[in-house]
Amino acid sequence: EPEVTQTPSHQVTQMGQEVILRCVPISNHLYFYWYRQILGQKVEFLVSFYNNEISEKSEIFDDQFSVERPDGSNFTLKIRSTKLEDSAMYFCASSVPVGEKLFFGSGTQLSVL
Amino acid sequence: KQEVTQIPAALSVPEGENLVLNCSFTDSAIYNLQWFRQDPGKGLTSLLLIQSSQREQTSGRLNASLDKSSGRSTLYIAASQPGDSATYLCAVTMDSNYQLIWGAGTKLIIKP
């Protein structure tokens, strides 16, 4: 069965450093998403992406965050200057039409020291 | 603002029992509701999706119901097995922006 792939599975970085989290969505999907889950808290929506542009973003997704689909397969989340509070599990997801069944990757555990 | 609540937060039952997990939401303007399973350190697996116009969905031993007007959904697991042990998350897709709003989950332990 097709799946969403995320790399790396774990990322440790120093505060203030830039990180890029990578995702390969399912090939025929059109909508891409990033969610995050801080340890012990609810999953939170960050951003959705369609047709090479952001379609929705949450208050969390400030100027420190950006997303990109640099080629036909990868979908990336960049955090420009990481903060301690950015430590979380970051999940990438994709869907064919918007709002329908989402397929999630296994996540990237980001630890900011 | 949509709030999604799941009760109980944790549940431990012997193998073989039937069980019900509850999810409630405050804003009925939803597009659909999904139940997910999360295993420790792993991703989120969609179990069932119920459209706002539907009342229930079934997949194997799982049955999910939706009462949109009262803001409630239940996930029924029949004949539970140790392999069902995981955290079960409920999430609603908002009509307005298709964002998923999540509950905190129910951590389920099935004892052999």
Side-chain angles (χ1 to χ4, degrees), chain A residues 33 35 37 41-45 48 56-58 89 91 98-107, chain B residues 3-4 31-32 34 36 38 41-44 46 49 51 89 93 96-100 102-104:
Chain A
Y33 314 84
Y35 285 81
Q37 186 177 33
Q41 297 187 22
K42 293 182 179 182
V43 178
E44 302 172 291
F45 170 78
S48 59
E56 296 285 342
K57 61 182 181 179
S58 71
M89 178 74 90
F91 292 106
V98 66
E100 296 302 327
K101 181 176 178 179
L102 265 64
F103 292 80
F104 282 83
S106 55
Chain B
E3 293 286 341
V4 180
Y31 184 72
N32 60 41
Q34 299 185 58
F36 290 86
Q38 184 175 30
K42 296 194 177 176
L44 301 157
S46 180
L49 182 151
Q51 300 292 353
L89 299 168
T93 303
S96 55
N97 56 19
Y98 301 109
Q99 290 181 24
L100 276 175
W102 298 77

Side-chain angles (χ1 to χ4, degrees), chain A residues 12-108:
Chain A
V12 180
T13 190
Q14 295 292 324
M15 190 169 55
Q17 294 296 304
E18 175 183 287
V19 294
I20 298 176
L21 310 184
R22 303 180 191 280
C23 170
V24 179
I26 295 174
S27 60
N28 64 331
H29 286 189
L30 302 176
Y31 292 85
F32 315 115
Y33 314 84
W34 284 99
Y35 285 81
R36 78 173 186 187
Q37 186 177 33
I38 296 171
L39 186 63
Q41 297 187 22
K42 293 182 179 182
V43 178
E44 302 172 291
F45 170 78
L46 293 179
V47 66
S48 59
F49 191 86
Y50 169 72
N51 200 27
N52 283 320
E53 61 182 29
I54 291 173
S55 49
E56 296 285 342
K57 61 182 181 179
S58 71
E59 294 175 351
I60 302 167
F61 194 88
D62 62 21
D63 292 344
Q64 293 301 310
F65 291 86
S66 63
V67 288
E68 194 177 39
R69 188 156 164 82
D71 53 42
S73 59
N74 290 284
F75 179 52
T76 62
L77 174 69
K78 182 192 290 186
I79 309 175
R80 288 191 184 82
S81 179
T82 50
K83 305 171 189 170
L84 295 175
E85 55 264 37
D86 293 328
S87 295
M89 178 74 90
Y90 288 79
F91 292 106
C92 173
S94 66
S95 66
V96 179
V98 66
E100 296 302 327
K101 181 176 178 179
L102 265 64
F103 292 80
F104 282 83
S106 55
T108 294

Side-chain angles (χ1 to χ4, degrees), chain B residues 5-107:
Chain B
T5 303
Q6 290 189 246
I7 295 173
L11 182 63
S12 179
V13 300
E15 179 179 4
E17 284 201 3
N18 303 324
L19 54 99
V20 174
L21 308 182
N22 296 291
C23 172
S24 61
F25 48 94
T26 55
D27 184 347
S28 62
I30 65 169
Y31 184 72
N32 60 41
L33 182 145
Q34 299 185 58
W35 283 93
F36 290 86
R37 169 181 173 142
Q38 184 175 30
D39 294 282
K42 296 194 177 176
L44 301 157
T45 303
S46 180
L47 298 172
L48 290 163
L49 182 151
I50 311 176
Q51 300 292 353
S52 61
S53 58
Q54 296 177 321
R55 298 285 293 185
E56 66 178 325
Q57 281 288 330
T58 298
S59 176
R61 295 182 293 109
L62 305 180
N63 176 276
S65 68
L66 174 63
D67 185 340
K68 185 180 165 184
S69 60
S70 68
R72 297 183 184 198
S73 176
T74 61
L75 178 67
Y76 175 83
I77 302 177
S80 57
Q81 303 170 358
D84 295 330
S85 298
T87 296
Y88 290 80
L89 299 168
C90 165
V92 297
T93 303
M94 299 305 297
D95 247 345
S96 55
N97 56 19
Y98 301 109
Q99 290 181 24
L100 276 175
I101 308 297
W102 298 77
T106 294
K107 183 174 182 179

